[in-house]
Amino acid sequence: LFKLKAGNDASAPDTGLDLRSFAWKKDVDAYRWAFGQMDDKLSRQAVCILDPHEVALRDYLVEFKIPILWVSGHADVKSNPKASSEEEVQFAREILMKWPPNIPCLGWPTSGNKEGGIGEDPGIDLTSECAKFNPCTAFDAYSPTVGNLSVHSGTTARLHQAVPPIKLERDKVYLAFIRSDGDGWNFQRHYYRKLFDDPKHGTVPIGWQLGSTAIDGQPDILDYYYKHARPGDCFVNALTGIGYIHESRYALNYPPEQRAQIWKDYLRLSGIYMARLNTNVMCTYQEMPTDLLQLIAGTPGVHGIFSNYGRTEKTTLDNLAAEADGVPVFRAVNRPPYILTYTPSARREAEQFTIKEITSWTPLHRPAFLYVFLANWLTKMDMLENIDRKSTRLNSSHLGIS
Protein backbone atom coordinates (compact mmCIF):
# COMPACT_ATOMS: atom_id res chain seq x y z
CA LEU A 1 0.00 0.00 0.00
CA PHE A 2 1.12 3.54 -0.68
CA LYS A 3 2.13 5.60 2.34
CA LEU A 4 0.97 9.05 1.33
CA LYS A 5 3.09 11.50 3.28
CA ALA A 6 2.74 15.22 2.73
CA GLY A 7 5.17 16.58 0.18
CA ASN A 8 6.25 13.18 -1.13
CA ASP A 9 8.32 13.21 -4.30
CA ALA A 10 7.16 11.57 -7.54
CA SER A 11 10.43 9.65 -7.73
CA ALA A 12 9.57 7.58 -4.65
CA PRO A 13 8.00 4.43 -6.18
CA ASP A 14 7.04 2.83 -2.87
CA THR A 15 4.96 5.72 -1.60
CA GLY A 16 3.30 7.29 -4.66
CA LEU A 17 2.72 10.97 -5.37
CA ASP A 18 1.11 13.36 -2.89
CA LEU A 19 -1.08 15.59 -5.06
CA ARG A 20 -1.65 17.93 -2.11
CA SER A 21 1.83 19.29 -2.62
CA PHE A 22 0.75 20.98 -5.87
CA ALA A 23 -1.60 23.36 -4.05
CA TRP A 24 -3.87 23.86 -7.04
CA LYS A 25 -6.14 26.85 -6.65
CA LYS A 26 -8.82 25.63 -9.03
CA ASP A 27 -10.09 22.19 -10.08
CA VAL A 28 -9.32 23.06 -13.69
CA ASP A 29 -5.62 23.42 -12.76
CA ALA A 30 -5.60 19.78 -11.64
CA TYR A 31 -7.25 18.70 -14.90
CA ARG A 32 -4.67 20.62 -16.93
CA TRP A 33 -1.82 18.98 -15.02
CA ALA A 34 -3.34 15.49 -15.36
CA PHE A 35 -3.94 15.76 -19.11
CA GLY A 36 -0.44 17.17 -19.55
CA GLN A 37 1.03 14.16 -17.77
CA MET A 38 -1.08 11.43 -19.37
CA ASP A 39 -2.10 12.80 -22.77
CA ASP A 40 -0.26 10.26 -24.93
CA LYS A 41 -1.42 7.34 -22.74
CA LEU A 42 -5.16 8.08 -23.06
CA SER A 43 -7.59 6.47 -25.50
CA ARG A 44 -8.61 8.48 -28.56
CA GLN A 45 -11.74 6.35 -29.10
CA ALA A 46 -13.89 8.04 -26.45
CA VAL A 47 -14.00 10.78 -23.84
CA CYS A 48 -16.16 11.20 -20.75
CA ILE A 49 -17.84 13.98 -18.76
CA LEU A 50 -18.71 12.55 -15.36
CA ASP A 51 -19.75 13.82 -11.95
CA PRO A 52 -16.79 13.16 -9.58
CA HIS A 53 -19.18 11.43 -7.17
CA GLU A 54 -20.23 8.81 -9.73
CA VAL A 55 -18.40 5.50 -9.36
CA ALA A 56 -20.21 2.75 -11.31
CA LEU A 57 -18.92 3.67 -14.78
CA ARG A 58 -15.28 3.95 -13.78
CA ASP A 59 -14.32 0.29 -14.22
CA TYR A 60 -14.87 0.71 -17.98
CA LEU A 61 -13.15 4.10 -18.11
CA VAL A 62 -10.07 2.79 -16.32
CA GLU A 63 -9.88 -0.42 -18.35
CA PHE A 64 -9.89 1.43 -21.67
CA LYS A 65 -8.00 4.54 -20.46
CA ILE A 66 -10.84 6.88 -21.40
CA PRO A 67 -10.13 10.48 -20.32
CA ILE A 68 -12.56 11.97 -17.82
CA LEU A 69 -13.65 15.60 -17.48
CA TRP A 70 -16.14 17.37 -15.26
CA VAL A 71 -17.64 20.74 -16.11
CA SER A 72 -19.06 22.61 -13.14
CA GLY A 73 -22.17 24.72 -13.46
CA HIS A 74 -22.74 28.12 -11.92
CA ALA A 75 -24.54 26.52 -8.96
CA ASP A 76 -21.43 24.45 -8.22
CA VAL A 77 -19.32 27.58 -7.90
CA LYS A 78 -21.43 28.71 -4.94
CA SER A 79 -20.74 25.52 -2.99
CA ASN A 80 -17.22 24.72 -4.24
CA PRO A 81 -14.71 27.59 -4.18
CA LYS A 82 -12.37 25.61 -6.46
CA ALA A 83 -14.97 25.29 -9.22
CA SER A 84 -14.73 27.73 -12.12
CA SER A 85 -17.46 27.02 -14.65
CA GLU A 86 -16.32 29.24 -17.52
CA GLU A 87 -12.70 28.08 -17.31
CA GLU A 88 -13.82 24.45 -17.14
CA VAL A 89 -16.03 24.90 -20.21
CA GLN A 90 -13.08 26.34 -22.11
CA PHE A 91 -10.75 23.53 -21.03
CA ALA A 92 -13.33 20.89 -21.90
CA ARG A 93 -13.73 22.48 -25.33
CA GLU A 94 -9.94 22.34 -25.83
CA ILE A 95 -9.84 18.63 -24.98
CA LEU A 96 -12.93 17.74 -27.00
CA MET A 97 -11.51 19.50 -30.05
CA LYS A 98 -8.16 17.78 -29.60
CA TRP A 99 -9.81 14.35 -29.63
CA PRO A 100 -11.11 12.94 -32.97
CA PRO A 101 -14.61 13.76 -34.23
CA ASN A 102 -17.47 11.26 -34.20
CA ILE A 103 -16.50 9.49 -30.98
CA PRO A 104 -18.73 9.02 -27.91
CA CYS A 105 -18.65 11.29 -24.90
CA LEU A 106 -19.66 8.93 -22.11
CA GLY A 107 -21.10 10.03 -18.77
CA TRP A 108 -23.53 12.94 -18.53
CA PRO A 109 -23.13 16.72 -18.10
CA THR A 110 -25.24 16.95 -14.96
CA SER A 111 -25.25 15.28 -11.57
CA GLY A 112 -27.98 12.73 -10.90
CA ASN A 113 -30.25 15.25 -9.18
CA LYS A 114 -29.70 17.70 -12.08
CA GLU A 115 -28.46 20.34 -9.62
CA GLY A 116 -24.74 19.98 -10.41
CA GLY A 117 -22.76 20.30 -13.61
CA ILE A 118 -23.15 22.45 -16.67
CA GLY A 119 -26.61 21.04 -17.44
CA GLU A 120 -28.04 18.89 -20.24
CA ASP A 121 -28.71 21.49 -22.94
CA PRO A 122 -25.44 23.45 -22.53
CA GLY A 123 -23.55 20.17 -22.11
CA ILE A 124 -24.94 18.54 -25.25
CA ASP A 125 -24.41 21.82 -27.12
CA LEU A 126 -20.76 21.73 -26.06
CA THR A 127 -20.16 18.12 -27.06
CA SER A 128 -22.16 18.46 -30.28
CA GLU A 129 -20.22 21.53 -31.39
CA CYS A 130 -17.04 19.49 -30.90
CA ALA A 131 -18.50 16.57 -32.93
CA LYS A 132 -18.94 14.17 -30.02
CA PHE A 133 -22.17 12.22 -29.39
CA ASN A 134 -23.51 11.21 -25.98
CA PRO A 135 -24.86 7.71 -25.15
CA CYS A 136 -26.04 8.88 -21.67
CA THR A 137 -24.32 6.38 -19.42
CA ALA A 138 -24.55 8.28 -16.11
CA PHE A 139 -27.32 9.10 -13.61
CA ASP A 140 -29.97 11.34 -15.16
CA ALA A 141 -32.73 11.72 -12.54
CA TYR A 142 -34.74 8.70 -13.72
CA SER A 143 -32.11 6.01 -14.23
CA PRO A 144 -28.77 5.49 -12.45
CA THR A 145 -25.27 5.28 -13.87
CA VAL A 146 -24.47 2.08 -15.73
CA GLY A 147 -21.92 -0.22 -14.11
CA ASN A 148 -19.89 -3.35 -14.83
CA LEU A 149 -19.44 -2.29 -18.45
CA SER A 150 -16.04 -3.96 -18.43
CA VAL A 151 -18.05 -7.20 -18.14
CA HIS A 152 -21.10 -6.34 -20.26
CA SER A 153 -18.96 -5.05 -23.14
CA GLY A 154 -17.39 -8.49 -23.40
CA THR A 155 -20.70 -10.17 -24.22
CA THR A 156 -22.19 -10.62 -27.69
CA ALA A 157 -25.57 -10.40 -29.38
CA ARG A 158 -27.09 -10.85 -32.82
CA LEU A 159 -30.20 -8.73 -32.96
CA HIS A 160 -33.16 -9.54 -35.17
CA GLN A 161 -36.72 -8.29 -35.22
CA ALA A 162 -39.64 -9.15 -37.46
CA VAL A 163 -42.07 -6.28 -38.01
CA PRO A 164 -45.15 -7.41 -39.95
CA PRO A 165 -46.40 -5.16 -42.75
CA ILE A 166 -49.46 -2.99 -42.15
CA LYS A 167 -52.35 -3.14 -44.59
CA LEU A 168 -53.27 0.45 -45.40
CA GLU A 169 -56.90 1.39 -44.84
CA ARG A 170 -57.51 4.78 -46.39
CA ASP A 171 -60.27 5.82 -43.98
CA LYS A 172 -58.14 5.39 -40.85
CA VAL A 173 -55.87 7.42 -38.57
CA TYR A 174 -52.67 5.53 -37.69
CA LEU A 175 -51.00 6.23 -34.34
CA ALA A 176 -47.34 5.29 -33.88
CA PHE A 177 -46.56 5.26 -30.14
CA ILE A 178 -42.80 5.55 -29.46
CA ARG A 179 -41.20 5.50 -26.00
CA SER A 180 -38.29 7.91 -25.77
CA ASP A 181 -34.95 8.00 -23.93
CA GLY A 182 -33.76 4.54 -24.87
CA ASP A 183 -30.78 6.30 -26.44
CA GLY A 184 -29.46 6.24 -22.86
CA TRP A 185 -27.70 3.05 -21.83
CA ASN A 186 -28.88 3.91 -18.31
CA PHE A 187 -32.54 3.74 -19.37
CA GLN A 188 -31.94 0.43 -21.10
CA ARG A 189 -30.49 -0.95 -17.87
CA HIS A 190 -33.21 0.43 -15.62
CA TYR A 191 -36.51 1.95 -16.70
CA TYR A 192 -36.95 -0.03 -19.88
CA ARG A 193 -36.71 -3.25 -17.89
CA LYS A 194 -39.49 -2.04 -15.58
CA LEU A 195 -41.72 -1.31 -18.55
CA PHE A 196 -40.87 -4.60 -20.24
CA ASP A 197 -41.79 -6.52 -17.08
CA ASP A 198 -45.09 -4.62 -16.70
CA PRO A 199 -48.06 -7.03 -17.08
CA LYS A 200 -49.66 -4.58 -19.53
CA HIS A 201 -46.65 -4.67 -21.87
CA GLY A 202 -47.85 -6.02 -25.21
CA THR A 203 -51.45 -4.83 -25.05
CA VAL A 204 -50.70 -1.93 -27.45
CA PRO A 205 -48.13 -1.82 -30.27
CA ILE A 206 -45.20 0.42 -29.33
CA GLY A 207 -41.83 1.52 -30.64
CA TRP A 208 -38.82 1.50 -28.32
CA GLN A 209 -35.99 3.95 -28.91
CA LEU A 210 -32.52 2.40 -28.61
CA GLY A 211 -29.10 4.02 -28.65
CA SER A 212 -27.22 1.96 -31.20
CA THR A 213 -23.74 2.05 -29.64
CA ALA A 214 -25.10 -0.03 -26.75
CA ILE A 215 -24.39 -2.96 -29.07
CA ASP A 216 -20.74 -2.32 -28.16
CA GLY A 217 -21.16 -1.44 -24.48
CA GLN A 218 -23.91 -3.76 -23.25
CA PRO A 219 -24.98 -6.12 -26.05
CA ASP A 220 -26.39 -8.65 -23.58
CA ILE A 221 -28.92 -6.06 -22.41
CA LEU A 222 -30.14 -5.41 -25.95
CA ASP A 223 -30.22 -9.15 -26.56
CA TYR A 224 -32.63 -9.53 -23.63
CA TYR A 225 -35.07 -7.00 -25.08
CA TYR A 226 -35.04 -8.44 -28.57
CA LYS A 227 -35.60 -11.95 -27.24
CA HIS A 228 -38.40 -10.85 -24.90
CA ALA A 229 -40.20 -8.52 -27.32
CA ARG A 230 -43.97 -8.91 -27.48
CA PRO A 231 -46.03 -8.87 -30.68
CA GLY A 232 -46.35 -5.23 -31.63
CA ASP A 233 -42.93 -4.20 -30.25
CA CYS A 234 -40.60 -2.44 -32.66
CA PHE A 235 -37.09 -1.20 -31.90
CA VAL A 236 -36.10 2.10 -33.51
CA ASN A 237 -32.88 4.08 -33.52
CA ALA A 238 -32.38 7.16 -31.31
CA LEU A 239 -31.19 10.02 -31.05
CA THR A 240 -29.89 10.76 -33.84
CA GLY A 241 -28.06 7.89 -35.48
CA ILE A 242 -25.08 6.78 -33.41
CA GLY A 243 -25.85 9.01 -30.45
CA TYR A 244 -27.62 11.91 -28.76
CA ILE A 245 -26.68 15.19 -30.43
CA HIS A 246 -28.19 18.60 -31.02
CA GLU A 247 -28.29 18.26 -34.77
CA SER A 248 -28.06 21.92 -35.79
CA ARG A 249 -24.98 22.41 -33.61
CA TYR A 250 -23.09 19.27 -34.59
CA ALA A 251 -19.45 19.98 -35.58
CA LEU A 252 -20.02 23.76 -35.60
CA ASN A 253 -16.51 24.34 -34.23
CA TYR A 254 -14.96 22.99 -37.43
CA PRO A 255 -14.39 24.75 -40.77
CA PRO A 256 -17.23 24.20 -43.32
CA GLU A 257 -15.38 21.67 -45.49
CA GLN A 258 -14.28 19.62 -42.49
CA ARG A 259 -17.76 19.84 -40.97
CA ALA A 260 -19.23 18.43 -44.19
CA GLN A 261 -16.84 15.47 -44.04
CA ILE A 262 -17.59 14.91 -40.35
CA TRP A 263 -21.30 14.74 -41.14
CA LYS A 264 -20.65 12.34 -44.00
CA ASP A 265 -18.68 10.04 -41.70
CA TYR A 266 -21.27 10.42 -38.93
CA LEU A 267 -24.11 9.27 -41.17
CA ARG A 268 -22.03 6.41 -42.57
CA LEU A 269 -21.39 5.18 -39.01
CA SER A 270 -25.06 5.67 -38.15
CA GLY A 271 -26.07 3.43 -41.04
CA ILE A 272 -23.65 0.71 -39.90
CA TYR A 273 -24.96 0.77 -36.34
CA MET A 274 -28.61 0.90 -37.39
CA ALA A 275 -28.00 -2.26 -39.41
CA ARG A 276 -26.57 -3.88 -36.28
CA LEU A 277 -29.81 -2.98 -34.48
CA ASN A 278 -31.75 -4.48 -37.40
CA THR A 279 -33.82 -1.31 -37.75
CA ASN A 280 -34.49 1.10 -40.60
CA VAL A 281 -36.26 3.80 -38.58
CA MET A 282 -34.51 6.75 -36.93
CA CYS A 283 -35.73 9.21 -34.29
CA THR A 284 -34.28 12.72 -34.22
CA TYR A 285 -34.17 15.26 -31.41
CA GLN A 286 -34.84 18.78 -32.65
CA GLU A 287 -36.58 20.65 -35.44
CA MET A 288 -33.85 21.52 -37.95
CA PRO A 289 -33.30 23.30 -41.27
CA THR A 290 -34.65 21.47 -44.33
CA ASP A 291 -31.23 20.86 -45.86
CA LEU A 292 -29.96 19.22 -42.66
CA LEU A 293 -33.07 17.03 -42.37
CA GLN A 294 -32.57 15.95 -45.98
CA LEU A 295 -28.92 15.15 -45.24
CA ILE A 296 -29.89 12.97 -42.26
CA ALA A 297 -32.65 11.30 -44.31
CA GLY A 298 -29.87 10.12 -46.60
CA THR A 299 -28.38 7.92 -43.86
CA PRO A 300 -27.78 4.46 -45.39
CA GLY A 301 -30.68 2.14 -44.66
CA VAL A 302 -33.10 4.77 -43.30
CA HIS A 303 -36.67 4.21 -44.48
CA GLY A 304 -38.42 6.60 -42.10
CA ILE A 305 -37.82 9.35 -39.53
CA PHE A 306 -39.77 10.17 -36.37
CA SER A 307 -38.82 13.74 -35.63
CA ASN A 308 -38.59 15.87 -32.49
CA TYR A 309 -38.60 15.32 -28.75
CA GLY A 310 -42.22 16.42 -28.48
CA ARG A 311 -44.21 18.81 -30.65
CA THR A 312 -42.43 22.06 -31.47
CA GLU A 313 -43.60 25.52 -32.49
CA LYS A 314 -42.64 24.63 -36.08
CA THR A 315 -45.14 21.76 -36.22
CA THR A 316 -48.36 22.32 -38.17
CA LEU A 317 -51.21 20.10 -39.28
CA ASP A 318 -49.70 20.24 -42.77
CA ASN A 319 -46.21 19.00 -41.83
CA LEU A 320 -47.10 16.31 -39.27
CA ALA A 321 -46.40 13.84 -42.08
CA ALA A 322 -43.93 15.05 -44.67
CA GLU A 323 -40.97 13.91 -46.77
CA ALA A 324 -37.26 14.67 -46.79
CA ASP A 325 -35.37 13.53 -49.86
CA GLY A 326 -38.04 10.90 -50.49
CA VAL A 327 -37.98 9.56 -46.90
CA PRO A 328 -41.21 9.92 -44.85
CA VAL A 329 -40.85 12.19 -41.81
CA PHE A 330 -43.39 12.13 -38.98
CA ARG A 331 -43.23 15.00 -36.48
CA ALA A 332 -44.33 14.45 -32.90
CA VAL A 333 -47.98 15.41 -32.54
CA ASN A 334 -47.99 15.97 -28.77
CA ARG A 335 -46.13 17.89 -26.11
CA PRO A 336 -45.06 16.13 -22.91
CA PRO A 337 -47.44 16.76 -19.97
CA TYR A 338 -44.56 18.08 -17.79
CA ILE A 339 -45.75 16.47 -14.59
CA LEU A 340 -44.30 13.70 -12.45
CA THR A 341 -46.37 10.54 -12.79
CA TYR A 342 -45.61 8.54 -9.67
CA THR A 343 -49.18 8.58 -8.32
CA PRO A 344 -52.37 7.19 -9.92
CA SER A 345 -53.98 10.65 -10.08
CA ALA A 346 -50.94 12.15 -11.80
CA ARG A 347 -50.90 9.31 -14.33
CA ARG A 348 -54.57 9.84 -15.14
CA GLU A 349 -53.90 13.58 -15.58
CA ALA A 350 -51.02 12.84 -17.98
CA GLU A 351 -53.23 10.45 -19.95
CA GLN A 352 -55.99 13.05 -20.33
CA PHE A 353 -53.48 15.68 -21.42
CA THR A 354 -52.06 13.36 -24.09
CA ILE A 355 -55.48 12.25 -25.34
CA LYS A 356 -56.47 15.89 -25.76
CA GLU A 357 -53.24 16.56 -27.66
CA ILE A 358 -53.90 13.65 -30.00
CA THR A 359 -57.54 14.45 -30.71
CA SER A 360 -57.00 18.20 -31.17
CA TRP A 361 -54.08 17.61 -33.55
CA THR A 362 -55.65 14.90 -35.70
CA PRO A 363 -56.00 16.29 -39.24
CA LEU A 364 -59.27 16.00 -41.12
CA HIS A 365 -57.90 14.12 -44.11
CA ARG A 366 -57.67 10.32 -44.26
CA PRO A 367 -55.54 8.35 -44.07
CA ALA A 368 -53.62 10.27 -41.39
CA PHE A 369 -50.41 9.28 -39.65
CA LEU A 370 -49.57 10.55 -36.15
CA TYR A 371 -46.36 10.10 -34.16
CA VAL A 372 -47.33 10.03 -30.47
CA PHE A 373 -44.29 10.86 -28.37
CA LEU A 374 -44.08 8.89 -25.11
CA ALA A 375 -41.43 10.36 -22.82
CA ASN A 376 -40.42 9.79 -19.21
CA TRP A 377 -43.94 10.47 -17.96
CA LEU A 378 -44.90 7.01 -19.29
CA THR A 379 -44.03 5.16 -16.09
CA LYS A 380 -46.54 2.30 -16.39
CA MET A 381 -47.84 0.49 -19.44
CA ASP A 382 -51.51 0.79 -18.47
CA MET A 383 -51.12 4.48 -19.30
CA LEU A 384 -50.52 3.58 -22.93
CA GLU A 385 -53.47 1.19 -22.91
CA ASN A 386 -55.73 3.94 -21.55
CA ILE A 387 -54.48 6.52 -24.06
CA ASP A 388 -54.99 4.13 -26.96
CA ARG A 389 -58.44 2.99 -25.83
CA LYS A 390 -59.80 6.44 -25.00
CA SER A 391 -58.42 8.19 -28.08
CA THR A 392 -59.89 5.40 -30.22
CA ARG A 393 -63.24 5.74 -28.47
CA LEU A 394 -63.26 9.47 -29.21
CA ASN A 395 -62.36 8.79 -32.85
CA SER A 396 -63.26 5.32 -34.08
CA SER A 397 -60.87 5.63 -37.03
CA HIS A 398 -57.74 5.65 -34.81
CA LEU A 399 -55.51 2.59 -35.02
CA GLY A 400 -52.34 1.91 -33.01
CA ILE A 401 -49.47 0.53 -35.10
CA SER A 402 -45.82 -0.45 -34.60
Side-chain angles (χ1 to χ4, degrees), residues 49-248:
I49 295 177
L50 187 66
D51 183 342
H53 300 95
E54 291 290 351
V55 175
L57 184 60
R58 294 181 188 270
D59 65 315
Y60 188 77
L61 304 177
V62 170
E63 180 180 14
F64 294 103
K65 298 181 174 62
I66 296 171
I68 307 169
L69 296 159
W70 178 241
V71 184
S72 302
H74 294 293
D76 297 307
V77 177
K78 296 178 181 178
S79 58
N80 176 13
K82 293 194 173 184
S84 49
S85 183
E86 293 181 6
E87 290 180 81
E88 292 173 31
V89 168
Q90 180 56 38
F91 179 67
R93 185 179 291 113
E94 292 174 17
I95 295 299
L96 292 169
M97 290 300 293
K98 188 174 182 179
W99 260 243
N102 294 331
I103 62 172
C105 180
L106 302 173
W108 192 240
T110 71
S111 58
N113 59 10
K114 291 186 176 290
E115 294 178 2
I118 188 177
E120 178 177 348
D121 284 344
I124 302 301
D125 276 351
L126 173 64
T127 53
S128 293
E129 289 164 4
C130 300
K132 310 297 182 286
F133 58 90
N134 193 297
C136 191
T137 54
F139 188 17
D140 178 33
Y142 283 89
S143 295
T145 302
V146 297
N148 289 328
L149 284 184
S150 55
V151 175
H152 288 284
S153 61
T155 63
T156 60
R158 294 186 65 181
L159 307 178
H160 176 74
Q161 60 176 332
V163 181
I166 301 295
K167 181 182 177 181
L168 178 64
E169 298 181 48
R170 296 191 173 275
D171 61 339
K172 301 298 183 185
V173 176
Y174 291 87
L175 306 181
F177 297 105
I178 298 182
R179 178 56 162 90
S180 73
D181 287 76
D183 58 300
W185 299 7
N186 56 349
F187 273 76
Q188 296 170 19
R189 290 279 289 274
H190 179 245
Y191 228 100
Y192 265 28
R193 179 60 189 268
K194 289 186 174 184
L195 295 173
F196 251 64
D197 290 347
D198 192 306
K200 293 291 187 178
H201 173 209
T203 58
V204 178
I206 183 174
W208 301 90
Q209 290 186 1
L210 288 179
S212 54
T213 53
I215 191 66
D216 291 333
Q218 48 187 29
D220 54 333
I221 304 296
L222 297 189
D223 185 69
Y224 176 87
Y225 290 125
Y226 277 67
K227 287 181 177 176
H228 291 81
R230 309 285 174 84
D233 283 343
C234 178
F235 299 104
V236 302
N237 167 252
L239 283 162
T240 297
I242 49 175
Y244 176 25
I245 62 172
H246 289 168
E247 297 94 347
S248 296

